[in-house]
Amino acid sequence: MVAPWTVHTHFDAKTAVHPDAEEKVRTLLAGGYKGYWGVEYNAPGNQYVEMEWMTGAVKRIVSNASRVEKKW
């Protein structure tokens, strides 16, 4: 209900690997969300590499959730 007025939301590592992550993003987008996607992750080691992984995971989730399936 508030998705059109929300300006940012956050991903943490648990959300990025959750099986329903794409569906949650799809629901936000369908509700009118046009805000920013933030990343909250304080990896215990290799923080630069881990942030690359996390950023890539979020990009993949948002991209997949944004796709419109063609119905022939």
Side-chain angles (χ1 to χ4, degrees), residues 1 3 20-33 37 65:
M1 184 164 63
D20 293 337
E22 282 183 28
E23 186 57 35
K24 291 176 188 288
V25 170
R26 198 173 286 114
T27 300
L28 276 170
L29 294 172
Y33 182 74
W37 304 97

Side-chain angles (χ1 to χ4, degrees), residues 41-51:
Y41 188 45
N42 189 14
N46 294 323
Q47 289 192 348
Y48 289 116
V49 174
E50 291 295 322
M51 282 306 299

